[in-house]
Amino acid sequence: MAQAITTDPDTGLKIFNTRAAQASDKIRGRGYGVVQDESLKTLPDAPAGAVFNAEEQARYRDFKEARAGAGEYVALEGEFSKYLEDVYSEAPVPRDVLTDECEILVIGAGFAGLMLWYKLRQAGFRDVRFCEKGGDVGGTWYWNRYPGIACDVESYSYLPLLDETGYVPTMKFASGFEIFEYCQLIAEKFGFYDKCLFHTTVEKTQWDASAGRWQVETDRGDKMKARFVIVANGILTTPKLAKIEGMETFKGEAFHTSRWNYNVDLEGKRVGIIGTGATAVQVIPEIAKVVDELYVFQRTPSSIDVRAQRETTSEEIETWKNEPGWSTARRKRFGRIASVRDAVKADDDYLSGRVEDYRKKPKESKKLSPEEWMQQQLDENFQAMEQIRARVDTVVADSNTAAALKPYYPYACKRPTFHDEYLPTFNLPHVHLVDTAPRGVNRINENGVVQDGVEYPLDVLIYATGFQWMATSTFDMIYGEDGQSLTEVRKKNGTKTWLGLHSRGFPNLFVMTGPQGGGGSFNFTDTIDDHSDYIIWVLKTLQEQGADIVDVKPEAVEAYAQHCREVDLATAPLRDCVAYYDHEGQAEPGSLVYYGGGRWHKQRVAGQESLEPYVFSGSSAS
Ligand code: NDP
């Protein structure tokens, strides 16, 4: 067997061979297929005369208020820690403990880690090391392998490095299994595997000011030093379980969607699924095809928009073969789409460059006041939601079920979803929607779920209850120059960053795609692209400045945090519902997602030109 750690005689750098083998050949699947029925691929018109009047506004308000405070979750510790186990890979590859030093240590080997490595390598940085909790690359696409999984941002704009690999996704919305394999292809092509310590979780990262280095400890006993640490472990990383009385007593099989247990054969079983977010919307139509009885426990319905999945055409494959840079150009066009709905609907004519504008009829050019603009947004949003609600009535036969499946909140307030098979699934005789609104499932016993005095006996219970949003436990274990963790500092002072990437007192640390980290569009891949370029700019600027430590000034983080707050508040009426995006209403405005759109770039460019936000210093190490 090849050694897990060797040394390159030319560079003196370590070469790793720690990628774990797949645990079982049962782990396979596909996304969602092409639906032939054209009527399922179009939205009906909004009912005539529908306007967002006081009555409709009150209905939205009631819908929200009834759910306020319902989102209680349990920590995945103790007996619930089993829901975090890696079910996809064989045991970790044995290796020696590392106590050496590298220049750049990156946490995470998902899209962000892969993109970053490609760019660092291009820029000449080689002394780079990745630590990854999973047994292989992929991040989200490593952990999420549930039946029906596919990306919701069109794959031609979403998959990173398509121009560089020459790969063309097989579907407009590629399956998660295809995306996972594509991540492996990137890693193989660009030498990523040599750089990555798999099954290695960073447990503590402490800034040592006297050495000008981070000290990084892992669950494999490593105690490494690194000049720079880059956090690239995603925004929806840690699964969460709804807090439900008696959940530990259930005697059947139970798992979370992000640890799908393929050893449990669902065929012929009574299966329950809790949650109806973006994950469940993809899972439900697939498992309904094999299970005996399916109980869907819904607290809040998702908006189910048209998907219109299709295969990549042979004409596209031919065209793109002869069009270098086609994917980057397409992604740029995608990034210019201002509305979330237009973006995810991904108009091919616009994205391929055949037409100039993605909007069917261009907007009037009259300058609107902020109030007029907001009213226009709310009205358009309401019309879209009316169409989505009308679709439910058109497709779902039972009127009670249809009523329960209709969402009453602004479009994109909760994560919008897209599917052409989800709603028809509720017409199948063995699929039952159990409406647990507004407080959700609150009791489980050894047989199954008990709701409103009715017991639903189950063989298998699936938690589709989501993830912690922008609050990975990683932030708890990064200790800055005054010995406090990033979480502690943020609790005390509020979240204050520069561009989301730097936090004052945490020198040489970069957080990719974290709180306040804007840049890209609705497309995560755009953001990691922008953040990778930015980090490389900082590393090169340090070299130019003859410095090796970078921190940011207090006034820079104060001003940026204030800006984040303002852009959040200015757009808040469009997000007036209970959603994980603002931690169910608990988050301070401006402390999580960045809502300023292209203004992030303006801030970035101004900072890069003036160098005003930065404090550069030499290392006292040598
Ligand atoms: P979500 O957080 O979106 O959904 C969790 C679900 O669990 C919600 O429907 C929630 O209801 C429900 N829930 C929680 N507690 C209870 C309870 N006690 N009783 C009943 N229901 C309960 O998680 P997902 O995994 O669906 O999605 C997370 C994110 O991952 C998405 O928003 C998206 O960003 C990403 N994703 C992307 C995909 C893609 O690109 N293809 C596919 C899947 C996921 P409530 O709404 O009332 O809180």
Side-chain angles (χ1 to χ4, degrees):
M1 202 176 93
Q3 276 201 304
I5 302 177
T6 49
T7 303
D8 183 331
D10 295 332
T11 62
L13 296 175
K14 300 245 168 31
I15 301 174
F16 303 133
N17 183 13
T18 63
R19 177 185 179 186
Q22 178 152 302
S24 149
D25 59 12
K26 289 184 195 154
I27 306 170
R28 64 192 138 81
R30 55 195 178 83
Y32 42 79
V34 178
V35 167
Q36 302 302 340
D37 183 345
E38 286 301 317
S39 70
L40 293 172
K41 296 197 260 184
T42 39
L43 278 188
D45 289 338
V51 281
F52 196 39
N53 56 23
E55 197 185 326
E56 298 297 347
Q57 289 170 25
R59 193 206 282 251
Y60 274 26
R61 218 168 26 245
D62 292 348
F63 194 88
K64 174 185 170 183
E65 279 166 13
R67 285 167 175 77
E72 270 205 277
Y73 296 91
V74 283
L76 289 168
E77 293 161 356
E79 93 161 271
F80 297 119
S81 60
K82 64 179 185 223
Y83 291 106
L84 282 175
E85 276 164 22
D86 182 353
V87 289
Y88 301 120
S89 290
E90 281 183 6
V93 172
R95 66 166 174 87
D96 291 339
V97 161
L98 287 160
T99 52
D100 60 345
E101 176 169 335
C102 64
E103 187 184 14
I104 302 170
L105 188 139
V106 186
I107 304 172
F111 271 19
L114 290 168
M115 173 83 94
L116 187 64
W117 167 239
Y118 175 81
K119 294 197 176 213
L120 284 168
R121 184 172 174 266
Q122 290 278 94
F125 295 93
R126 295 296 160 99
D127 189 5
V128 186
R129 184 171 293 180
F130 292 78
C131 291
E132 165 57 49
K133 188 194 208 102
D136 206 331
V137 292
T140 289
W141 304 103
Y142 175 87
W143 295 110
N144 288 280
R145 303 204 211 175
Y146 54 79
I149 186 168
C151 56
D152 265 347
V153 168
E154 67 137 21
S155 45
Y156 317 127
S157 302
Y158 175 65
L159 265 56
L161 304 171
L162 287 176
D163 293 319
E164 293 77 359
T165 58
Y167 183 80
V168 176
T170 63
M171 307 286 283
K172 182 153 164 108
F173 302 97
S175 124
F177 290 88
E178 179 175 345
I179 300 174
F180 172 50
E181 281 174 19
Y182 177 64
C183 290
Q184 295 174 319
L185 181 154
I186 298 176
E188 267 156 16
K189 192 169 174 79
F190 301 117
F192 183 89
Y193 284 115
D194 290 351
K195 298 285 173 186
C196 191
L197 296 164
F198 290 103
H199 279 145
T200 300
T201 303
V202 172
E203 290 191 324
K204 189 172 179 196
T205 309
Q206 166 90 57
W207 177 248
D208 176 351
S210 61
R213 299 285 185 275
W214 286 98
Q215 303 229 9
V216 181
E217 296 176 19
T218 76
D219 65 344
R220 301 290 294 269
D222 307 306
K223 286 188 176 23
M224 301 176 275
K225 287 192 179 64
R227 198 129 70 84
F228 300 96
V229 168
I230 304 175
V231 179
N233 64 349
I235 49 179
L236 286 161
T237 308
T238 313
K240 59 186 169 64
L241 288 182
K243 186 172 181 183
I244 302 171
E245 189 194 318
M247 57 202 289
E248 67 289 350
T249 62
F250 180 61
K251 291 274 191 286
E253 300 281 358
F255 52 85
H256 187 277
T257 49
S258 71
R259 304 288 188 272
W260 197 272
N261 188 346
Y262 280 91
N263 291 322
V264 177
D265 183 1
L266 298 182
E267 200 168 333
K269 300 271 171 39
R270 295 167 305 178
V271 177
I273 181 162
I274 299 180
T276 49
T279 299
V281 166
Q282 294 184 336
V283 168
I284 286 164
E286 287 306 310
I287 61 174
K289 292 172 188 162
V290 295
V291 305
D292 211 22
E293 296 291 331
L294 180 60
Y295 295 91
V296 177
F297 298 98
Q298 173 190 272
R299 178 165 68 199
T300 310
S302 283
S303 60
I304 317 289
D305 210 331
V306 162
R307 179 67 303 167
Q309 168 71 306
R310 66 170 178 82
E311 281 166 16
T312 307
T313 64
S314 48
E315 193 195 345
E316 282 170 328
I317 296 170
E318 271 315 300
T319 310
W320 291 336
K321 247 196 244 162
N322 302 309
E323 199 181 308
W326 69 270
S327 174
T328 307
R330 193 171 171 110
R331 181 138 51 78
K332 283 220 166 76
R333 281 193 286 271
F334 188 101
R336 284 197 283 272
I337 305 181
S339 115
V340 170
R341 183 145 183 254
D342 285 329
V344 274
K345 289 184 79 65
D347 179 272
D348 278 310
D349 285 337
Y350 167 71
L351 290 173
S352 63
R354 283 194 293 272
V355 299
E356 290 273 306
D357 203 333
Y358 56 89
R359 289 165 296 210
K360 295 288 170 261
K361 62 175 182 321
K363 289 219 164 143
E364 332 146 22
S365 51
K366 182 183 159 240
K367 183 110 179 87
L368 301 175
S369 69
E371 294 73 28
E372 287 170 328
W373 178 84
M374 178 55 73
Q375 196 52 51
Q376 186 188 63
Q377 297 293 312
L378 287 169
D379 289 341
E380 285 179 9
N381 189 307
F382 181 73
Q383 292 292 324
M385 286 303 279
E386 282 288 278
Q387 289 186 272
I388 278 164
R389 290 187 280 265
R391 185 188 197 205
V392 180
D393 281 329
T394 315
V395 177
V396 178
D398 177 72
S399 58
N400 287 334
T401 307
L405 284 166
K406 286 188 209 168
Y408 289 93
Y409 46 78
Y411 188 89
C413 183
K414 291 169 91 74
R415 170 62 143 74
T417 77
F418 302 81
H419 217 291
D420 301 336
E421 287 182 87
Y422 179 76
L423 292 172
T425 302
F426 291 96
N427 291 334
L428 300 172
H430 68 290
V431 177
H432 317 280
L433 182 73
V434 184
D435 186 10
T436 69
R439 312 303 292 178
V441 173
N442 53 27
R443 200 150 81 80
I444 290 174
N445 68 14
E446 57 177 34
N447 301 319
V449 170
V450 183
Q451 192 69 21
D452 295 329
V454 180
E455 185 184 83
Y456 298 89
L458 302 168
D459 303 309
V460 183
L461 180 55
I462 299 165
Y463 291 98
T465 47
F467 304 86
Q468 285 178 26
W469 172 243
M470 289 204 173
T472 81
S473 49
T474 312
F475 299 153
D476 304 345
M477 60 78 188
I478 301 176
Y479 296 87
E481 61 186 14
D482 66 0
Q484 287 185 310
S485 74
L486 200 51
T487 305
E488 285 165 339
V489 171
R490 288 182 176 176
K491 263 198 191 132
K492 213 162 70 186
N493 304 336
T495 300
K496 291 177 184 168
T497 71
W498 165 240
L499 301 175
L501 282 119
H502 304 263
S503 297
R504 183 174 157 70
F506 294 79
N508 288 6
L509 176 83
F510 302 91
V511 176
M512 291 179 80
T513 70
Q516 302 179 342
S521 57
F522 184 71
N523 185 0
F524 178 77
T525 307
D526 247 356
T527 313
I528 58 176
D529 201 355
D530 291 335
H531 288 192
S532 301
D533 286 344
Y534 172 79
I535 291 169
I536 288 162
W537 173 84
V538 177
L539 297 176
K540 288 191 162 166
T541 305
L542 273 165
Q543 288 172 352
E544 284 161 21
Q545 298 282 323
D548 53 14
I549 297 175
V550 60
D551 201 348
V552 280
K553 293 181 184 154
E555 53 273 27
V557 298
E558 288 295 340
Y560 184 73
Q562 180 60 21
H563 162 71
C564 291
R565 184 181 173 83
E566 282 164 12
V567 293
D568 186 341
L569 290 172
T571 50
L574 290 165
R575 296 187 305 277
D576 195 14
C577 70
V578 178
Y580 70 73
Y581 288 136
D582 67 351
H583 291 175
E584 280 83 20
Q586 301 303 306
E588 269 299 307
S591 66
L592 294 171
V593 184
Y594 176 78
Y595 290 107
R599 276 170 282 180
W600 184 86
H601 286 290
K602 281 198 183 141
Q603 299 259 343
R604 171 181 64 73
V605 170
Q608 286 176 311
E609 281 173 3
S610 68
L611 296 186
E612 203 42 53
Y614 305 98
V615 182
F616 297 112
S617 56
S619 163
S620 49
S622 47

